[in-house]
Amino acid sequence: MSVSAAATRPQSSGPVDPKPVDAKPVDLGVLPSELDGGLASRAAIGLAILATDQTLEHEFRALVRIPGVAFYEARLFNDNDITPDTLRAIGPRIAPTVDLILPSIPLDVVGFGCTSATMTLGEEAVFAEIRKARPGVACTTPVTGALAAFKALGAKGIGLLTPYAPEINQGLVTYFTGRSLDIAAVATFDRRDDREAARISLASIEAAAERMAAAPGVEAIFISCTSLRVAEAVAELEQRIGIPVTSSNHAMAWHCLRLAGIDDVVPAGGRLFALPAVPPTRRPEPTAF
């Protein structure tokens, strides 16, 4: 470019001058809006979860992936060590925790996320605590879900795999046998600290389940404790060992859906998630308190 051409080239005017200081935004007023059913247009599930639990929410997210179905949780204090005394101490904390879940918004089901505490306190005692905050709401627990799951699967001979101390295992065996089940095999990883139970590898759980499936009389396997990670592997594990498998989170997630009247099949959920509850459950009237 020649010097003369450069000299005659238009010069940039620089940045655009900002609006005057007293300029005002355009006021579009109140725009029209519509309300829909929200995330929980088909079902709202409340969950009371232990403070130390690292697994339950992750597994519910994997299993409850149904449009219009949502779950909401609050956490309650618990000790790291799993003993009969620390489990009994959880009881009075259930109602105040449930009271924190979406106050004044209806819930279709409330689940309490601790298998061993449910067994120690009893299902009806847990339900009574939940209903102090949500009178009349449908309730479930991992134990309740497991019992409903065994019924739906038509299984009586159960293999029980847990991380609990032997005395807690014995209490769970007694609880299940008192409800017309045959505990054909039982085993524990004996990890009494809930923080460690959450870190038991999936490979360890799968190997234990394969060994348990070979025991005489085992028709289905229940992997107990909401901290144990197995729900996402259930379908593949069932194919490998040839019998149904469920777990605390897996059974409770399925039961929450069925109690809420959601009968959708979850293909990745294994055999249980293709089945309705037995007997069929009627969707309860939501409660708001």
Side-chain angles (χ1 to χ4, degrees), residues 7-243:
T8 58
R9 184 176 180 179
Q11 299 297 307
S12 171
S13 60
V16 177
D17 290 337
K19 291 182 178 180
V21 174
D22 60 349
K24 296 181 180 180
V26 176
D27 184 359
L28 299 179
V30 178
L31 299 178
S33 61
E34 295 180 355
L35 302 182
D36 61 17
L39 292 174
S41 58
R42 294 180 65 197
I45 298 167
L47 298 171
I49 304 174
L50 300 188
T52 58
D53 195 297
Q54 302 174 53
T55 308
L56 189 151
E57 290 152 308
H58 170 78
E59 296 206 316
F60 262 68
R61 282 193 292 270
L63 293 167
V64 184
R65 300 176 64 181
I66 300 171
V69 180
F71 62 91
Y72 307 93
E73 65 278 350
R75 287 181 176 257
L76 59 85
F77 173 79
N78 67 290
D79 296 279
N80 292 319
D81 293 331
I82 305 168
T83 70
D85 286 342
T86 61
L87 292 171
R88 279 190 288 270
I90 290 172
R93 302 169 190 155
I94 296 173
T97 302
V98 173
D99 211 23
L100 297 175
I101 305 172
L102 297 184
S104 79
I105 296 177
L107 294 174
D108 297 286
V109 182
V110 174
F112 168 63
C114 185
T115 318
S116 51
T118 300
M119 177 272 298
T120 300
L121 298 167
E123 291 169 88
E124 291 304 323
V126 171
F127 297 163
E129 289 296 321
I130 290 172
R131 288 174 177 143
K132 287 179 181 178
R134 292 275 180 168
V137 75
C139 303
T140 189
T141 71
V143 172
T144 315
L147 291 169
F150 301 148
K151 188 172 184 179
L153 291 163
K156 290 285 188 180
I158 309 301
L160 178 63
L161 176 62
T162 86
Y164 309 137
E167 60 268 26
I168 293 178
N169 261 15
Q170 185 53 54
L172 199 54
V173 169
T174 301
Y175 198 94
F176 281 140
T177 54
R179 285 149 182 80
S180 303
L181 293 172
D182 173 25
I183 303 302
V186 62
T188 180
F189 296 114
D190 200 10
R191 296 283 185 174
R192 307 183 190 194
D193 188 319
D194 201 36
R195 295 167 296 184
E196 290 186 355
R199 294 171 53 203
I200 297 172
S201 71
L202 178 58
S204 297
I205 295 169
E206 289 180 323
E210 289 181 22
R211 183 172 175 182
M212 184 164 281
V218 173
E219 301 170 7
I221 291 175
F222 178 54
I223 299 168
S224 181
C225 184
T226 60
S227 287
L228 296 189
R229 296 170 288 152
V230 72
E232 292 174 87
V234 161
E236 182 180 336
L237 183 57
E238 287 179 332
Q239 290 183 346
R240 193 155 68 243
I241 66 177
I243 60 174

